[in-house]
Structure formats: structure tokens, C-alpha cells
Amino acid sequence: MAFKYPAARRDENKVDDYHGTKICDPFAWLEDPNSEETMAFVEEQNKLTMPFLEKCAVQPKFHQRLTELYDYPKYSCPYKRGDRYFYFHNKGLQNQDVLYVQDFLDGPATIFFDPNTLSDDGTVALKMGRLSEDCEYFAYSLSSSGSDWVTVHFMKADDLAPLPDMLERVKFSCLAWTHDAKGIFYNCYPRQEGKTDGTETTSNINQKLYYHVIGTKQSDDILVAEFPDHPKWHSSVTVSDDGRYAVLSITEGCEPVNQLWYCDLQQLTRSISGLLPWVKLVDNFEAQYSYVTNEGSVFTFRSNLDAPRYRLINIDIEKPEREHWTTLIPQHEKDVLGFVSCVNQRHLLVNYLHDVKDILQLYELSTGQLVRDLPLDVGTVAGVSCKKKHSDFFYKFTSFTTPGIIYHCDLSESNPEPTVFRQVEVKGIKQEDYKTSQVFYPSKDGTKIPMFLVHAKDLEKDGTHPVFLYGYGGFEHSIQPYYNVAYLLLVRHLGGILAVANIRGGGEYGLTWHKAGTLGNKQTCFDDFQCAAEYLIQEKYTTASRIAINGASNGGLLVAACVNQRPDLFGCAVAEVGVMDMLKFHKFTIGHAWTTDYGCSDDPEQFQWLIKYSPLHNLPPGPYSGSPYPAILLLTADHDDRVVPLHTLKYCAALQHGVGSSSVQRQPLMVRVDTRSGHGAGKPTAKAILEESHIFSFVAETLGLNWKE
């Protein structure tokens, strides 16, 4: 059936000049989220989309089954502060995870902090929680309706008494206690005109670093670092394991590079009272340095300096010149060095990524020598908790078919062995019904790209199976195996195959892999993703009309760009909170930070890269007579202040105007705009379940899939 889409006004007079190229932006009026016209557009779109989603044949069953299977207990790794253990736990369908405390690992646990009590619908979320070194205080930040803006609150950790202290205008912040528990480092932005609730699009610049003393007003907070000549810089403080140093990392954008400054807090003549006397250990953006630990003046950092797969280096701040820097653990010949944590005073817990699968090992801090491997199945380390001064540590394993196994190991024992501390089973899902495999397929330039496949164990390759193909490909972010009940329902009840393509732009093989899909090479990401679909067809898993593609944020850009380039290759496309206007993204909220991955239209050469694939600018104009587009579902949310909704709204208006007016376009082109919701972090369980149900019901409806018991 053909669909009648809401009419959207086109302002043909809105033309921007990019280095002599005139670009019409007829739906620019949708950039104002508060205008009555924008709100009416959103309402009309939801009036079309929501009834369609609710009437999809499998929606009631998918939603019911997803709710049943989502109702399993979820746990984080416990972590030790003072003499007590803390962990997050969700009984199953609670909107937000609850923080518990216990005196002993096998003792009773009590609720320490429950975010579910803060709102009726679960839209107030705990973003960050930090206990002071000896567990005197708990600092925590709360976000409303999914916004990146948070307010920071404080309470006493022993009797849970709330403190009057409150910090506002906080976003993309560190929270770092000094070890004397007198105060905390945090970042905040200057006051700005208009709203700061996550519905505004104002650019986030001039972030500053402050120190808040407990028991004082925010207006009395001490400014300890600012960068007036560099409005786009972000800073973050780590207080060293021994409590002596404040280590300052400064970034500009999302590239894995930072400046590295430090301050010896012990040398201050009096307590923190003004701008700190920072020592600039690294004052350029040539490489990344992440603090691991320090032994006196010798600091250990994870770094990509001359090491695209990362290594550990030691720097003695008493001999800071680069010729004195040494390598503690050299770069691996193939695997990527992931996170590194210090434990038991003298050991390092070291993670490597080997063909997108995690390895966990124990090393000596003093020599960099390998002590032993730690047991791990094929999958992902989803969490680690340890502290240098404690002898024990926890790590959590997950995979596409394993919700979570938490291991515990105490290195003070004579023969320390990790033991299963907690293992979660999901009733109604049998792991042995599923098969996970990894394939390597050739991209356009011959590079072998890894891809995970999850499907029924007895699958026959007859070219008929529906495929849900997911990708991201950006910001050095690796897509590793993770547990998602909706994926298993797709396999079990819709006869589908989950395919996760580890395309370039991500960090799966380090910096070289990342850079191969950024800036002027961004097209490589789209080639890799399209070649994944072609491989699945060629290998007789599926056919083009039965492939649904999905991605979120940078992955939403991926999906939309691939649909524009190859509408014939897919049957359905679901783009969540995507970056769709590549010429203007840097003008809104934190978009300026992404120019390190994408480039910026202010630069003539980079404008030429962006205009070639920008989803908004490569949609066919009406009247359209080319091959029909796949079914498209776009998702955004009113409080998404990371990728603001205007990207999706403008793209939707242009898509419906051009492709939607074509007589050959039978499949729907729709947008779902959620309210009291943001980019994704902190989304309440009920909203997450409904959204997943809508996505997979849309896929089933438009690919013609039936529910199988």
C-alpha cells in the first residue's frame, strides 16, 4: 500500500553558500524544536507512525515475550570501598538499576541508592556515582528524560543522610574526590541563554574545571583550570592511586589524543584555593595517554604513541623528557591493548582485543612480565572492578547468548583461581538452541572484515532467511558480542539471523582500522557495510529483500547513507538517532567534537567529502522515479541533546517529499519521535522494551515475517 505523508512546508529561499556551492535547505525551520510548526510536524508524524507500529501483526506477541524474557535478574561486578561492597542490581523489569551495599560478599545486602524513587516513569536516571576514597560520602549525578545535562548531589555514606550541596550546569564531566574527602573535582559550563533541559540545540563550549568543597555553595566553588583561548577543549581529572597527584587529561574532539598535565597536591602551600599550578607533561595532541597507576614519581600510562594498537609506557615525572620514557608492555603484533587496571599493589589486570573477542591477563607491574591468563569464554569482558590497594578483583563476562557470569579472584590466596561468583540464567532461553560464529568477508578494496552471525543451530543456507544486519563504524568504538533478548527473539520466533559487521572506523584492530574509516575515508565504512549484505546473499543466507539494516547515532548515519547509495540491497532500514545533516552537525550541542571523525563543512576540502554522502543531501528530489526504497523507520527523541532531533526530522521531511511521492514506493517511510527520552543512556526499562518491540515488529511487518512459536 502507498502512504499519505503529512505535508511539510518547503522554504526554497533558504539557501546556504558553501565555498561557492549553493545548497538549498528547505526544511531548516525544523531546526527550531520549540516552534509550533515543528511541534505540529512531530505530532502529525507520530499520528501516522504509532498506529502503524501498534497494528503490526507480531507487535502484541513480541512485546509480551520480550517483557517476559527481559524479566531476569541483572547484576554488576561488586566493588569495594572502605570495608564494604557495592553493586548494581535490577530484579528484572525495574526501570532503573538499584545500588546495593553489603558488609561481606556472602552477607545480606541493603539498598544504598534507588533511582526508581525519583520519578514515576523511570525517566530520572543515575548517570554517575562516586564514593569518596574511605567511603565517607557518595556523590551522584542525575539526568532527566535522557538529557546529557546532569545535576550532582551528595549524601553521607554511613547513614545515607542527604547533604544540601548541589552542582548544576554539569555535562560531560569528571567526578574525582581528593583522598581527604574534603571535596571533588568536576566540570561545568557557563550559564547560557534559553533552556538547558536537553531540548535546546545550543553549542556546548567553554567548559571549565572546578573544585567543590563539601558543605559550601556552588557559587563558592574554586576554578582550578580554564582554557579561554580554546573554547572546544574538554578536561577530566583523575586523582592518582596514592592521592598525591591530580592528573589532567585535555581533549579537543573525539580523536584518541590528549594533552597531559598534573599537579602535585602535596606541594600546595595551602589547600586548593585557586587555579592550580599545573605542570604540562605533554602539551600537544599527538597521542593518547591514559593514567593507569603510579609508584612514587613513576607513572604508568596506556598510550598509542608510536603504537596504533596501544602499549604501556612509564614516565618518571622527575625526569620528564621524552628520551627517558620507557616501554613497560610493548604493542602486540596483532591484538589491541584495551583497558588496564592496577590491583593488589603490584599487579596489572590487562585486557586485549583479539579479532573482536576479549582476552584477560595478569601482569607484574614492576617488570611488565605476564603472570597468567584468566579464564574467559568467547565473548566480552563487560565489567571489571578492582583497586590497587585491594587484593581481590571481579570481572563480568557476556556474549550474544550469555547474559552475564561474574568471576571473583583474590590474589592474596596461595593459589589464586578465579571462581564463578554469580551466574544468571534466563528462563525460556536455551543457549544450545543458538549458534554463534564469526566470518571474515572481503570488502570492496579486498580487506577482510570480521562479522558475527547468530542463528538457529540447525540453519540451512537456502537464501530465504531474514537478516538483521547491525553496524556502527566510528569513533574507535568496537562492537563486541553483547546480550540482547530482542536479538534472540528475532532468531527464535521470526526465523532470523543476527549479523554484526565490524566495519572500519571502529577500534576493532586499533588506530589504523579506525582512521581507515574517518574523514576523507568515510566512504570505506559504507562500502564495508554494503559488502556485508552482499556476502550474506552470495553465501546463500538470505536475499536482498529480506535484509533489515540497523544502526544508531553514527550507525544511523551509516544506515541512511547506505540506503541512499544502494536502495536495492535492503528490504528494511532502521536508523536510530542518526547524524543526517553532515553540513551543519557541528553547529549544535556537542557536534563540534565529531569533526575529528567527519571533518567540517567550513573547510572547502572537507565540504567535498561530506556533500558526497550526507544522508540529507543525497536523497533524491521529487518527483522520484528510481528504484523503490526499502521500508524505513527513523527514531529520535525530544531530549536527545547529543544528536539533536532536527537531523532525523529534516531527513524524514526530505525523504517523504522525494521518495514518498513516488508511485513505485509501496513500503512505509516513517519516523517515531519519543518524548521524555534522549540519546539512549539511562532509558527506563519500560521505554526500552517498547522501542525494541516497535523496531522488530516494523521489521517483521515490512519483510513479511510471521511469528513462529
Side-chain angles (χ1 to χ4, degrees), residues 7-291:
R9 175 174 65 88
R10 286 176 59 81
D11 179 1
E12 304 286 356
N13 297 320
K14 180 76 181 79
V15 176
D16 298 308
D17 188 322
Y18 293 91
H19 319 287
T21 303
K22 302 272 198 296
I23 305 284
C24 185
D25 193 5
F27 299 113
W29 55 268
L30 283 165
E31 290 169 13
D32 179 1
N34 301 312
S35 78
E36 286 185 15
E37 197 175 13
T38 300
M39 290 194 248
F41 176 83
V42 169
E43 193 179 339
E44 289 300 311
Q45 293 292 343
N46 273 340
K47 273 188 198 161
L48 175 70
T49 306
M50 290 314 212
F52 180 86
L53 294 174
E54 287 299 329
K55 284 180 189 145
C56 288
V58 306
Q59 157 65 12
K61 277 193 167 158
F62 202 99
H63 188 266
Q64 180 195 345
R65 195 77 185 109
L66 185 56
T67 305
E68 290 165 4
L69 291 178
Y70 209 90
D71 192 5
Y72 66 91
K74 301 157 190 76
Y75 294 91
S76 75
C77 289
Y79 58 95
K80 197 173 180 182
R81 287 293 179 276
D83 297 322
R84 299 192 287 172
Y85 289 94
F86 295 80
Y87 64 92
F88 285 96
H89 171 49
N90 191 313
K91 289 173 181 166
L93 294 173
Q94 289 174 284
N95 272 321
Q96 301 290 340
D97 297 349
V98 179
L99 184 57
Y100 286 81
V101 62
Q102 55 191 160
D103 291 331
F104 310 99
L105 282 176
D106 52 1
T110 56
I111 290 176
F112 182 77
F113 186 81
D114 183 359
N116 296 293
T117 61
L118 303 174
S119 64
D120 293 337
D121 59 358
T123 55
V124 175
L126 176 66
K127 264 282 178 74
M128 281 196 291
R130 296 285 186 274
L131 285 151
S132 57
E133 184 67 12
D134 295 316
C135 217
E136 302 93 338
Y137 299 111
F138 181 56
Y140 59 96
S141 69
L142 300 177
S143 151
S144 290
S145 302
S147 168
D148 280 328
W149 288 110
V150 296
T151 51
V152 182
H153 303 262
F154 297 84
M155 68 186 205
K156 289 173 75 177
D158 50 6
D159 61 3
L160 311 189
L163 299 174
D165 308 45
M166 186 168 79
L167 311 178
E168 295 178 302
R169 303 191 310 285
V170 177
K171 190 191 251 200
F172 311 127
S173 177
C174 63
L175 273 184
W177 288 97
T178 46
H179 282 204
D180 57 13
K182 285 183 177 165
I184 196 162
F185 292 104
Y186 75 100
N187 304 89
C188 112
Y189 283 96
R191 292 198 180 279
Q192 64 185 43
E193 290 293 310
K195 295 185 187 175
T196 49
D197 64 355
T199 61
E200 79 289 347
T201 61
T202 322
S203 193
N204 304 135
I205 53 173
N206 293 309
Q207 193 196 56
K208 300 177 197 292
L209 181 70
Y210 287 89
Y211 183 70
H212 173 75
V213 177
I214 291 297
T216 64
K217 293 196 188 83
Q218 185 177 13
S219 54
D220 297 330
D221 286 354
I222 300 143
L223 178 66
V224 291
E226 63 175 341
F227 319 100
D229 298 336
H230 304 282
K232 294 177 182 176
W233 281 14
H234 277 102
S235 64
S236 175
V237 159
T238 305
V239 174
S240 61
D241 287 334
D242 55 12
R244 177 169 176 174
Y245 300 95
V247 182
L248 182 68
S249 169
I250 298 167
T251 55
E252 183 177 44
C254 296
E255 198 56 14
V257 295
N258 62 286
Q259 294 197 22
L260 190 65
W261 304 1
Y262 73 89
C263 175
D264 185 343
L265 301 174
Q266 215 170 281
Q267 297 293 333
L268 298 177
T269 47
R270 48 203 194 110
S271 55
I272 296 169
S273 57
L275 289 172
L276 290 175
W278 298 104
V279 178
K280 298 181 181 180
L281 197 57
V282 179
D283 64 355
N284 57 58
F285 290 113
E286 287 170 16
Q288 186 178 69
Y289 307 86
S290 307
Y291 173 82

Side-chain angles (χ1 to χ4, degrees), residues 204 254 425 442 458 532 589 709:
N204 304 135
C254 296
E425 298 291 335
D458 50 2
T589 62
E709 284 304 339

Side-chain angles (χ1 to χ4, degrees), residues 244-494:
R244 177 169 176 174
Y245 300 95
V247 182
L248 182 68
S249 169
I250 298 167
T251 55
E252 183 177 44
C254 296
E255 198 56 14
V257 295
N258 62 286
Q259 294 197 22
L260 190 65
W261 304 1
Y262 73 89
C263 175
D264 185 343
L265 301 174
Q266 215 170 281
Q267 297 293 333
L268 298 177
T269 47
R270 48 203 194 110
S271 55
I272 296 169
S273 57
L275 289 172
L276 290 175
W278 298 104
V279 178
K280 298 181 181 180
L281 197 57
V282 179
D283 64 355
N284 57 58
F285 290 113
E286 287 170 16
Q288 186 178 69
Y289 307 86
S290 307
Y291 173 82
V292 175
T293 190
N294 64 299
E295 294 278 286
S297 65
V298 178
F299 281 68
T300 301
F301 297 100
R302 174 183 177 266
S303 180
N304 55 23
L305 178 70
D306 304 324
R309 288 178 302 286
Y310 294 83
R311 60 179 173 142
L312 285 191
I313 61 171
N314 281 346
I315 301 176
D316 186 341
I317 58 172
E318 289 178 358
K319 292 187 287 187
E321 298 77 20
R322 195 174 281 195
E323 62 261 28
H324 299 303
W325 297 6
T326 57
T327 298
L328 181 63
I329 300 180
Q331 168 176 260
H332 191 277
E333 61 196 25
K334 179 182 176 186
D335 300 345
V336 183
L337 176 65
F339 61 81
V340 183
S341 305
C342 191
V343 64
N344 193 35
Q345 298 292 354
R346 56 195 179 82
H347 288 109
L348 294 171
L349 208 50
V350 175
N351 154 252
Y352 280 99
L353 192 58
H354 170 79
D355 283 333
V356 209
K357 301 172 291 282
D358 273 331
I359 292 169
L360 199 56
Q361 296 173 320
L362 199 65
Y363 285 75
E364 285 281 354
L365 170 61
S366 57
T367 62
Q369 291 299 306
L370 175 66
V371 178
R372 59 164 299 176
D373 289 314
L374 294 165
L376 210 58
D377 208 343
V378 176
T380 305
V381 176
V384 162
S385 82
C386 63
K387 221 162 161 46
K388 185 172 187 170
K389 64 184 180 184
H390 297 146
S391 62
D392 61 340
F393 62 90
F394 298 84
Y395 60 98
K396 179 177 175 178
F397 170 81
T398 185
S399 72
F400 289 118
T401 55
T402 313
I405 305 172
I406 296 173
Y407 295 89
H408 179 224
C409 184
D410 190 341
L411 295 171
S412 65
E413 294 171 1
S414 54
N415 280 318
E417 272 305 318
T419 54
V420 173
F421 173 73
R422 199 171 255 143
Q423 184 160 6
V424 170
E425 298 291 335
V426 179
K427 290 185 181 72
I429 289 184
K430 291 199 193 86
Q431 275 193 38
E432 55 271 23
D433 293 347
Y434 301 90
K435 181 181 177 193
T436 302
S437 58
Q438 188 180 36
V439 297
F440 294 82
Y441 66 89
S443 188
K444 198 170 171 181
D445 62 1
T447 303
K448 286 277 197 276
I449 312 294
M451 176 162 60
F452 289 108
L453 301 176
V454 183
H455 51 75
K457 205 169 63 185
D458 50 2
L459 181 103
E460 280 181 40
K461 296 204 308 191
D462 57 9
T464 66
H465 306 284
V467 166
F468 190 81
L469 172 60
Y470 176 86
Y472 184 77
F475 299 94
E476 211 192 9
H477 177 53
S478 303
I479 306 296
Q480 295 176 246
Y482 60 101
Y483 191 76
N484 180 346
V485 177
Y487 288 165
L488 301 182
L489 288 185
L490 162 88
V491 174
R492 171 86 177 273
H493 294 293
L494 299 176

